[in-house]
Amino acid sequence: QVQLVESGGGSVQAGGSLRLSCATAGYTYSSYCMGWLRQAPGKEREVVASICTRGASSYYHNSVKGRFTISQDNAKNTLYLQLDSLKPEDTAMYYCAADPGPCLGYDKSDFSIWGQGTQVTVS
């Protein structure tokens, strides 16, 4: 059974940092496209960053370039998202997602496996 479990969310003041983690199990991590998406109340779910587990290529939404960093530890089958210089508009539920399809993922429709989400609140 494929599982994605996020952790690391919380409440921080503007300018602060958080590190989200996504522990994965039940599939071959090294053959998937992985991503972080977020959804704020009343807004569409959007891809924040995605990465190809088979290589080093990555994608970032324009709004987070230079502030967020996606990374992975293939030995631990874990995906990370470092959030720096946080802004109130970054407040959202953040989801880890995966898909066996081609990399990179740019839209929520590019992902078929989802975690339960972790809340990030920036005040």
Side-chain angles (χ1 to χ4, degrees):
Q1 182 180 359
V2 177
Q3 285 188 317
L4 305 176
V5 180
E6 303 97 333
S7 61
S11 297
V12 296
Q13 291 186 337
S17 297
L18 286 171
R19 189 192 195 202
L20 307 183
S21 299
C22 174
T24 72
Y27 67 100
T28 304
Y29 179 83
S30 62
S31 64
Y32 274 60
C33 175
M34 301 295 298
W36 287 97
L37 294 86
R38 67 185 179 187
Q39 187 167 18
K43 294 189 177 181
E44 291 288 320
R45 191 171 298 189
E46 63 183 5
V47 177
V48 174
S50 63
I51 191 167
C52 185
T53 59
R54 296 181 292 275
S57 57
S58 60
Y59 159 80
Y60 292 94
H61 192 279
N62 282 340
S63 65
V64 306
K65 284 182 179 177
R67 301 190 298 119
F68 292 7
T69 305
I70 190 169
S71 63
Q72 57 191 350
D73 185 335
N74 285 10
K76 296 182 179 180
N77 292 347
T78 301
L79 182 73
Y80 303 99
L81 186 69
Q82 178 69 37
L83 295 72
D84 296 319
S85 302
L86 281 161
K87 303 176 181 180
E89 51 263 44
D90 295 318
T91 295
M93 185 70 79
Y94 283 70
Y95 298 90
C96 175
D99 193 88
C103 287
L104 300 162
Y106 304 97
D107 184 80
K108 61 181 184 293
S109 62
D110 294 330
F111 298 93
S112 58
I113 304 166
W114 297 87
Q116 83 287 353
T118 185
Q119 179 68 36
V120 172
T121 302
V122 185
S123 59

